[in-house]
Amino acid sequence: MYQINNEKFGQFLSEIRKEKSMTQKELADKLFVSDKTVSKWERGNSLPNVTLLVPIADVFGITVTELLKGEKISGNKSLSTDEVEDLIINSLDLSVRNTICQRKKNLIFAFLISIGVVIAEAVLMTVSGITIEQMGDSIYISFLMLIFAICCIFVKEVLPTYYDKDKINFVSQGVFRIHMPGLAFNNGNWIYVLTIFRLFTLGVAVLAPILCWLCISIGGVDLWKSIQYPSILIVLAGLIVATYIVGKKYE
């Protein structure tokens, strides 16, 4: 399948813009975007939204096909049906890929904040007189969840097309494994399932030390020891139920 090349696209855009003696600012004004956005396109850092492809092509008097291929197509040269189909599919995926990229950045930022919060919680509990031994399981749970969270963050958000054709109830990507009998994963529900796992892992990582501190403050270490494992089972059961509900809803 033909894959749109960011760098080739950007270089071609820069070349045809200069041929028209047009600045990045002038092109940006015609497209109602910022000159920084145009600069990102030309440096290959991002691709324009699919809705901007026709306006860009019109500005330079070229076809959308030439724009996507990153080269001029001579009059006697034609594209095969497969090439045209691949270009259309990839052009429709431009905005999706940009959205996924931005979402990944936001998730990594949330992950880093969560690490900072867990460390701060551990320090504050130590200062308040709670020993590492007393808070041990809560910190262990937090960092275990953070490890699982980073795996969830980098899982691919788009499943292969055969998931949409066949009823498959498991996904395996690297160290990430999920098997839900009775629930078929596809591109309709996968992003929602992933969102639940991402929110769950980060949420538990941050809340576990808080629960530990509250229990020890109210009823001592014995209260924390008596509820920590039942709490884990309840939370895991909630994750499974939520995954089935959302997965079935968008299945």
Side-chain angles (χ1 to χ4, degrees):
M1 176 180 286
Y2 176 80
Q3 199 72 34
I4 296 172
N5 185 294
N6 289 34
E7 288 74 22
K8 185 178 180 182
F9 178 94
Q11 183 179 357
F12 180 65
L13 183 64
S14 177
E15 290 174 356
I16 57 177
R17 175 181 60 78
K18 291 173 182 176
E19 286 178 6
K20 295 287 186 179
S21 301
M22 188 181 297
T23 65
Q24 289 183 343
K25 182 67 168 61
E26 289 172 336
L27 175 58
D29 290 341
K30 290 179 179 293
L31 299 172
F32 301 101
V33 297
S34 69
D35 54 343
K36 290 183 179 180
T37 298
V38 175
S39 177
K40 286 183 179 180
W41 296 344
E42 294 188 354
R43 286 184 281 116
N45 292 339
S46 66
L47 290 166
N49 187 285
V50 64
T51 58
L52 290 173
L53 295 178
V54 173
I56 294 173
D58 288 343
V59 167
F60 297 116
I62 60 175
T63 65
V64 173
T65 300
E66 290 174 316
L67 183 63
L68 292 174
K69 285 188 69 69
E71 61 185 44
K72 293 281 185 70
I73 300 176
S74 59
N76 58 357
K77 181 182 178 182
S78 60
L79 297 178
S80 67
T81 303
D82 289 340
E83 286 180 305
V84 173
E85 183 179 350
D86 287 345
L87 280 172
I88 292 172
I89 292 172
N90 278 278
S91 67
L92 291 174
D93 286 344
L94 290 181
S95 58
V96 175
R97 281 188 282 165
N98 287 339
T99 300
I100 291 174
C101 182
Q102 185 58 51
R103 186 157 51 223
K104 282 282 196 296
K105 292 179 181 178
N106 293 340
L107 287 168
I108 292 173
F109 182 64
F111 174 78
L112 294 175
I113 290 178
S114 298
I115 290 178
V117 170
V118 170
I119 293 174
E121 289 171 337
V123 172
L124 289 173
M125 284 196 292
T126 302
V127 171
S128 66
I130 300 175
T131 65
I132 296 295
E133 183 179 356
Q134 291 173 329
M135 71 175 84
D137 284 339
S138 68
I139 300 301
Y140 173 75
I141 291 169
S142 290
F143 281 99
L144 189 64
M145 287 296 100
L146 288 172
I147 292 172
F148 188 50
I150 198 67
C151 294
C152 293
I153 288 172
F154 288 100
V155 168
K156 292 180 181 179
E157 297 186 357
V158 179
L159 294 173
T161 54
Y162 57 79
Y163 274 88
D164 296 325
K165 299 176 182 178
D166 305 311
K167 291 188 175 182
I168 303 174
N169 55 24
F170 66 90
V171 176
S172 175
Q173 294 185 25
V175 297
F176 182 89
R177 301 283 193 280
I178 179 173
H179 182 202
M180 306 286 287
L183 175 61
F185 297 113
N186 53 57
N187 284 300
N189 63 11
W190 181 237
I191 184 60
Y192 298 102
V193 170
L194 269 185
T195 298
I196 288 177
F197 272 82
R198 289 163 174 172
L199 292 177
F200 168 82
T201 51
L202 293 178
V204 172
V206 171
L207 293 176
I210 296 176
L211 179 61
C212 172
W213 177 79
L214 286 173
C215 289
I216 294 176
S217 299
I218 296 172
V221 177
D222 290 338
L223 176 60
W224 166 239
K225 288 183 177 180
S226 66
I227 73 164
Q228 58 181 336
Y229 295 116
S231 298
I232 293 173
L233 293 176
I234 291 171
V235 171
L236 288 175
L239 171 64
I240 293 172
V241 171
T243 302
Y244 270 108
I245 291 174
V246 172
K248 282 294 184 181
K249 180 179 179 181
Y250 296 99
E251 188 177 38

